[in-house]
Amino acid sequence: MEYILTLDAGTTASKIALFNTKGELQGISTKEYTLLTPTALAVELPAETFWKAFKEGVSEVLEQTKANPEDIKALGISAQGETLFFIDKNGNPLRNAIIWLDNRAQEEADILSEKFDPDQHSFKISGQVKIVPTWPASKILWIKRNEKNIFDKVSKYLLIEDYLIYRMTGELVAEGSLLCSTLYWNIITKKYWDEMLDHLGITADQLPEIKESGEPVGELKPEVAKELGLSPKTMVTTGALDQVCGAIGVGNVEPGMFSENTGAALAICAVLKKPIFDKQGRMPIHYYGIPDTYMAHTFTTGGMVLRWFRDNFAKEEMSVAELLETDPYNVIGDEVAKVPPGSDGLVMLPHLQGAMAPEANPKAKGVFFGFTLKHTKAHFARAIMEAIAFIVRRNIDVLEDMKIPVKEIRVLGGGARSAVWNQIKADITRKTVYQTEMEEAASLGAAILAGKAVGIYKDVREAASKMVGIKRKYEPNTKNFEVYGKAYQKYVKLYEDLCDLFEVD
């Protein structure tokens, strides 16, 4: 039996998984870590923390599965974006990695926005509709302006995938799905953006060689193989951004397909044959995990709203779930299923942390509108689920306005476990919704890329067809189109009518 090992390097945990070549999960380990927040805006972590979590997870998976390390043919990576490492000439980190969540570079983002106005300049090069503090370009400028002693010593700037590959193989490589949100990579030419590098005061020599996702990089260094308990013959491969891996892991590999990941946030991905730039600046464009393929991709509020509801208003449901040894969301979902579509006129705006795509309004607030004495707790829970589905439809509307077709939806993340929520999404978007067998979609996507890299499959599409299975299909119920059509119009109008009030503190 041949196996593929994957590392999903997440924000607060690393997940290590072992798959066979059919895409069947053999073992999995999750190792959490605590982010450091030295100031209100700063978020950091020592590079060694990521490596320690990876090493411990590999050991645990090998113990679980009793797999022969000689049978692990490839190692693939799913990685968080925008987390930046600063490496000296000896290959050692000069300081803690700056995590993607870090927001300290606000002044630097403003400086870059003034120099490279997205509306006029950077959008068509980077694909990003705004210049924000989380982009690595902003982080580098902050280091230059605030930690000059570090800036002067940096030999290489690496993203988290690049750093882990370097630790394993000694090779310095990067790939486009992570590079496209650095703001110093051109998604059209697939080369570093010299004008931005010049402004930052760095050179292309300080950045890794560029490869495609799903390419072999090199075998594990013998000393690293020994440290990890793996074979030195295991091939390390380029992976992709976690959202790209997740989309690939549910089989989103062709134009016309659309995947949405309802976790704490809601992420959407639509595959494109070529970059299509939104003239209204609503939809960012990213590079995908398949050569010369792109995706419309953005984030907005997601399952955190339902979690807020659970933690604050569903103590009874949580107690019932504990007695039944089930997930509290299952209990909530059972109650939601008893409420009619449209929540008897109750509509929610789920903007508890501002509105992101496509509204891009950080001042927006959460709103429940239209409740009466007949509305119950279950109505409010269903209104939340419908509100998230309205966001999905809003983004699909933007895509279709850009002439990007959406023929079907693949769901992943915690929200994909909810049958009632999947049906709500099908009814509101009027698209067929597919739930796949493997919940660990990002890990499976990394395995697909790694399997392609070592020749187990000829390409990503073939690998996905062999490794991704459909668990259930949700067809839109035409009987609910009218009520949801009216509710959706109310949702859009409610947001638009309240925009002026959102500006009032």
Side-chain angles (χ1 to χ4, degrees):
M1 178 72 74
E2 293 184 335
Y3 300 105
I4 299 169
L5 187 68
T6 64
L7 163 62
D8 181 5
T11 306
T12 58
S14 283
K15 190 175 292 182
I16 294 81
L18 188 70
F19 293 89
N20 64 21
T21 55
K22 295 179 182 178
E24 296 167 339
L25 184 65
Q26 307 298 293
I28 191 166
S29 169
T30 300
K31 296 297 177 182
E32 297 183 350
Y33 29 76
T34 302
L35 299 175
L36 305 178
T37 52
T39 70
L41 297 175
V43 187
E44 302 182 348
L45 207 59
E48 199 61 30
T49 300
F50 293 106
W51 185 255
K52 183 174 182 287
F54 172 48
K55 184 167 65 173
E56 291 177 353
V58 170
S59 177
E60 193 167 290
V61 166
L62 291 176
E63 179 62 30
Q64 283 177 18
T65 62
K66 307 300 181 184
N68 184 345
E70 299 293 331
D71 294 330
I72 300 174
K73 301 303 178 184
L75 193 156
I77 300 174
S78 164
Q80 58 183 279
E82 294 98 50
T83 291
L84 192 63
F85 294 71
F86 308 84
I87 308 301
D88 68 14
K89 62 183 180 180
N90 297 315
N92 299 314
L94 286 160
R95 69 180 316 283
N96 288 344
I98 299 182
I99 304 301
W100 70 272
L101 285 166
D102 190 287
N103 252 313
R104 77 184 79 181
Q106 295 184 6
E107 186 174 339
E108 288 71 24
D110 290 341
I111 292 170
L112 294 177
S113 295
E114 185 174 347
K115 173 70 176 178
F116 304 99
D117 180 2
D119 292 338
Q120 306 295 326
H121 197 175
S122 65
F123 179 34
K124 291 292 184 72
I125 294 171
S126 69
Q128 307 309 307
V129 297
K130 288 187 176 181
I131 296 178
V132 296
T134 56
W135 294 164
S138 302
K139 292 177 167 75
I140 291 173
L141 188 57
W142 186 92
I143 290 289
K144 180 181 179 181
R145 299 177 76 222
N146 295 274
E147 295 183 3
K148 191 68 162 54
N149 60 320
I150 298 293
F151 180 81
D152 289 341
K153 296 176 184 176
V154 175
S155 175
K156 297 289 180 181
Y157 293 96
L158 304 179
L159 301 172
I160 188 169
E161 180 187 0
D162 317 343
Y163 175 74
L164 292 166
I165 289 174
Y166 175 66
R167 283 287 298 261
M168 287 187 271
T169 68
E171 300 293 330
L172 290 160
V173 300
E175 49 76 25
S177 73
L178 255 69
L179 284 172
C180 60
S181 60
T182 61
L183 213 69
Y184 48 73
W185 191 69
N186 188 319
I187 66 170
I188 305 301
T189 65
K190 297 193 289 184
K191 296 179 180 179
Y192 291 116
W193 182 14
D194 289 336
E195 188 179 2
M196 178 61 76
L197 298 187
D198 290 344
H199 188 73
L200 297 176
I202 66 174
T203 67
D205 289 339
Q206 292 177 281
L207 300 168
E209 174 191 354
I210 301 166
K211 287 184 174 286
E212 296 283 355
S213 295
E215 286 193 18
V217 176
E219 295 177 343
L220 288 170
K221 293 191 292 186
E223 64 273 23
V224 172
K226 184 177 181 180
E227 181 182 2
L228 297 174
L230 296 173
S231 166
K233 295 296 184 183
T234 297
M235 179 61 68
V236 179
T237 69
T238 50
L241 178 71
D242 48 12
Q243 294 298 336
V244 170
C245 284
I248 290 172
V250 294
N252 183 2
V253 294
E254 299 284 356
M257 301 180 77
F258 172 98
S259 55
E260 64 89 4
N261 183 348
T262 301
L266 171 72
I268 65 107
C269 300
V271 178
L272 309 174
K273 287 184 177 179
K274 62 181 181 179
I276 300 173
F277 296 98
D278 180 19
K279 294 178 181 178
Q280 298 181 48
R282 296 164 295 180
M283 185 64 62
I285 300 299
H286 288 241
Y287 197 68
Y288 202 51
I290 300 172
D292 300 313
T293 305
Y294 297 79
M295 70 170 177
H297 166 59
T298 193
F299 279 93
T300 189
T301 307
M304 69 177 71
V305 183
L306 192 61
R307 179 171 181 170
W308 162 82
F309 177 85
R310 182 202 69 180
D311 292 348
N312 289 282
F313 303 104
K315 302 297 184 184
E316 182 180 348
E317 288 77 4
M318 293 171 74
S319 297
V320 170
E322 186 175 359
L323 289 172
L324 296 177
E325 296 184 346
T326 187
D327 191 317
Y329 291 117
N330 293 337
V331 179
I332 294 171
D334 290 342
E335 294 302 309
V336 164
K338 300 173 185 177
V339 176
S343 302
D344 286 323
L346 179 62
V347 176
M348 189 211 188
L349 298 184
H351 308 313
L352 272 62
Q353 289 186 308
M356 290 175 272
E359 294 91 357
N361 183 352
K363 294 187 177 181
K365 303 293 189 297
V367 175
F368 281 105
F369 174 80
F371 59 94
T372 66
L373 290 174
K374 71 179 178 181
H375 288 102
T376 65
K377 185 174 12 177
H379 282 86
F380 284 81
R382 186 176 185 108
I384 290 170
M385 289 187 175
E386 290 174 346
I388 302 305
F390 289 147
I391 290 177
V392 176
R393 179 166 170 179
R394 284 275 275 174
N395 281 284
I396 290 175
D397 285 351
V398 170
L399 293 174
E400 293 182 338
D401 185 55
M402 295 167 61
K403 311 302 181 188
I404 299 172
V406 175
K407 298 176 182 177
E408 64 179 60
I409 297 174
R410 301 286 178 103
V411 291
L412 63 152
R417 301 187 190 115
S418 172
V420 65
W421 208 348
N422 290 337
Q423 189 61 55
I424 287 170
K425 289 172 182 174
D427 294 350
I428 286 176
T429 62
R430 305 184 182 186
K431 311 287 184 183
T432 302
V433 169
Y434 293 88
Q435 178 189 11
T436 56
E437 295 280 358
M438 177 51 59
E439 288 193 5
E440 303 296 342
S443 296
L444 180 59
I448 287 170
L449 290 168
K452 176 264 178 186
V454 296
I456 294 172
Y457 294 103
K458 68 177 183 180
D459 58 33
V460 170
R461 293 180 177 90
E462 182 193 46
S465 71
K466 301 291 185 182
M467 299 175 77
V468 178
I470 301 300
K471 183 176 183 179
R472 186 172 174 185
K473 181 169 72 170
Y474 298 82
E475 296 286 1
N477 185 346
T478 57
K479 294 179 180 178
N480 296 331
F481 283 5
E482 183 177 358
V483 66
Y484 275 137
K486 291 179 179 177
Y488 180 60
Q489 290 175 2
K490 186 187 293 184
Y491 170 89
V492 173
K493 190 173 190 305
L494 183 63
Y495 169 78
E496 293 173 347
D497 288 352
L498 289 176
C499 278
D500 288 343
L501 282 176
F502 291 148
E503 296 294 322
V504 179
D505 293 330

